[in-house]
Amino acid sequence: MKYYIIAGEASGDLHGSNLMKALYEKDPIAEIRFWGGDLMQNVGGTLVKHYRELAFMGFIEVVMNLKTILNNIKICKKDIEAFQPDAIIFIDYPGFNMRIATWAKERNIPTHYYISPQIWAWKENRIKAIKRDVDFMYVILPFEKDFYEKKHNFPVHFVGHPLIDAIANRTEVSDEIFRKENHLSDKPIIALLPGSRKQEIAKMLSIMLSVVKDFPDYQFVIAGAPSQEYEFYKTFLTNENVKFISNKTYDLLSHSHAALVTSGTATLETALFNVPEVVCYKGSWVSYQIAKRIITLKYISLVNLIMDKEVVKELIQDELNTKNLKAELNKILNTESRVVLLQNYTDLKQKLGGEGASKKTAELIVGSFRK
């Protein structure tokens, strides 16, 4: 069978790579073309466009780059027509993927959506387009199944969270080797995860680094995103107690004592590694004001959303400042708050289910052809 996969972000590249591995296991002669990144490219298939050319953050940034986005949609449609796939698999990235889904449905190409758009957070009216244009939906958060099936009468498959697979399948590196290879001292590590896009890194990293001087007994390590070059980060490395490691976020988290994390998938990844964290978010004033009026969720981090309570502290917009960040980091380093937080992480993992999201999804996709 021929599969066309579209992933537009770093997290989509990770989950897309594991899904591709599972598809090749179930369908050894599969032909795959994809929009994604290095991880998917390492599995096989043909990369059409890298996600670093697609990622735009916030309402203003999207408007400024609208011409590029529309051109990419045009390129994608032409490439799909030339490839003539048996199925298109969308991975999150709804602004782009839902446009392609509408177009594909008109041409009777089977559409599979792996990792649902977060319409439970905003743009719930997208359910009409999803019911019309998506043939099969695979959800990864436990509350999403009820949201789709009970609230909107749209059948979906809950396959579990693919991050559990990604973490379980990684090759572990000993603490001694990790520190030696990356020129780190014996001090406990505080990981800094400022995001993957230039706009958010520039906003978040300066604030995160503002607390370094207050924690001399720890070493801070920036998790460099695979989509960004070292030269971009270099201007931030002005303190000798701050190190930089590129494209090794999982290794870094596995050896970290605490973390400061930009909201997004990384908040859940950090929790699954049992690393106490403070969640950070600061967008442009205009983007934040718009988001505040259309997003009605109680929380912004996946950890708190899944648990439906404040497990990790969220510092948002004006609350994200040096004073608050220092206070919250102190709480999770060596206090009772740390013990409670780690217990909540255990409960979180139970809610997410076990391993096998990628394999379950691949089985369902391949099985859909038999039906």
Side-chain angles (χ1 to χ4, degrees):
M1 292 292 180
K2 296 166 75 173
Y3 307 88
Y4 200 98
I5 305 176
I6 306 173
E9 298 173 303
S11 59
D13 180 35
L14 171 64
H15 303 320
S17 67
N18 287 324
L19 178 61
M20 285 171 65
K21 289 174 189 174
L23 282 172
Y24 280 129
E25 285 180 12
K26 297 294 175 186
D27 184 1
I29 58 171
E31 293 181 54
I32 302 177
R33 285 180 72 83
F34 62 91
W35 293 47
D38 299 340
L39 295 176
M40 294 172 76
Q41 193 167 24
N42 289 340
V43 176
T46 302
L47 174 65
V48 180
K49 217 167 189 42
H50 200 288
Y51 70 79
R52 70 168 66 97
E53 300 177 51
L54 310 174
F56 301 105
M57 175 191 172
F59 300 97
I60 302 301
E61 291 81 4
V62 168
V63 171
M64 289 173 63
N65 292 281
L66 191 57
K67 185 177 179 181
T68 301
I69 293 168
L70 293 175
N71 188 52
N72 283 335
I73 290 172
K74 187 177 179 181
I75 291 168
C76 187
K77 289 176 180 177
K78 282 187 176 180
D79 196 60
I80 292 171
E81 281 184 327
F83 185 55
Q84 295 188 329
D86 296 293
I88 301 177
I89 303 168
F90 305 106
I91 302 181
D92 202 0
Y93 199 51
F96 187 97
N97 277 334
M98 285 307 302
R99 286 171 178 258
I100 301 298
T102 300
W103 174 87
K105 189 66 175 178
E106 291 169 354
R107 285 152 183 78
N108 295 315
I109 306 172
T111 53
H112 298 254
Y113 217 122
Y114 178 44
I115 306 180
S116 160
Q118 295 178 350
I119 64 169
W120 37 266
W122 71 305
K123 289 193 175 181
E124 191 169 345
N125 61 345
R126 273 183 172 157
I127 187 63
K128 295 176 184 176
I130 287 173
K131 292 174 83 168
R132 183 190 67 222
D133 300 330
V134 176
D135 296 316
F136 304 94
M137 176 71 79
Y138 312 100
V139 300
I140 63 173
L141 299 172
F143 61 80
E144 289 179 319
K145 187 170 177 65
D146 282 349
F147 172 82
Y148 277 108
E149 295 188 342
K150 292 184 178 179
K151 186 172 184 180
H152 292 293
N153 194 32
F154 180 63
V156 300
H157 301 280
F158 173 61
V159 294
H161 207 291
L163 281 180
I164 296 174
D165 291 344
I167 291 170
N169 295 336
R170 58 179 288 274
T171 302
E172 293 199 27
V173 181
S174 72
D175 191 65
E176 182 183 357
I177 291 174
F178 176 74
R179 289 175 186 270
K180 186 176 181 180
E181 286 182 346
N182 295 287
H183 312 291
L184 303 178
S185 70
D186 293 332
K187 291 180 179 180
I189 296 169
I190 297 176
L192 304 180
L193 280 65
S196 60
R197 304 179 183 97
K198 282 187 176 178
Q199 298 101 319
E200 65 183 346
I201 294 169
K203 277 190 172 69
M204 308 305 303
L205 193 50
S206 296
I207 301 171
M208 290 177 175
L209 291 173
S210 70
V211 302
V212 171
K213 63 183 183 301
D214 297 303
F215 297 90
D217 295 331
Y218 295 85
Q219 61 186 322
F220 290 74
V221 182
I222 299 169
S227 57
Q228 305 299 337
E229 301 294 332
Y230 170 70
E231 293 300 314
F232 174 68
Y233 292 94
K234 197 160 70 171
T235 55
F236 298 99
L237 300 173
T238 57
N239 188 309
E240 63 180 17
N241 200 30
V242 180
K243 303 295 182 182
F244 173 84
I245 298 176
S246 181
N247 201 18
K248 294 182 183 178
T249 301
Y250 281 10
D251 287 345
L252 174 59
L253 286 174
S254 69
H255 299 289
S256 293
H257 188 69
L260 305 180
V261 186
T262 297
S263 65
T265 305
T267 62
L268 183 57
E269 290 172 312
T270 303
L272 293 176
F273 274 100
N274 287 322
V275 180
E277 64 184 301
V278 180
V279 176
C280 308
Y281 174 79
K282 194 162 196 168
S284 69
W285 185 86
V286 174
S287 292
Y288 178 70
Q289 292 302 318
I290 295 171
K292 191 168 66 170
R293 285 160 175 76
I294 61 176
I295 297 176
T296 57
L297 297 176
K298 288 188 288 184
Y299 308 107
I300 63 168
S301 69
L302 283 172
V303 176
N304 292 345
L305 285 167
I306 294 166
M307 295 296 288
D308 196 26
K309 64 179 182 179
E310 186 182 71
V311 172
V312 295
K313 182 63 179 180
E314 300 177 351
L315 294 177
I316 305 170
Q317 209 65 8
D318 292 338
E319 289 182 353
L320 180 59
N321 55 54
T322 303
K323 180 183 175 182
N324 289 343
L325 198 54
K326 177 184 173 182
E328 295 302 329
L329 183 53
N330 264 316
K331 285 181 185 177
I332 63 172
L333 286 176
N334 294 295
T335 67
E336 188 178 337
S337 299
R338 182 180 180 89
V339 176
V340 174
L341 185 52
L342 291 172
Q343 179 56 55
N344 277 312
Y345 281 174
T346 300
D347 298 339
L348 171 73
K349 291 172 188 174
Q350 290 177 347
K351 277 199 168 191
L352 287 174
E355 298 175 29
S358 304
K359 288 185 178 180
K360 289 174 193 170
T361 305
E363 285 173 1
L364 289 165
I365 292 172
V366 175
S368 69
F369 296 118
R370 301 192 189 104
K371 290 178 184 178

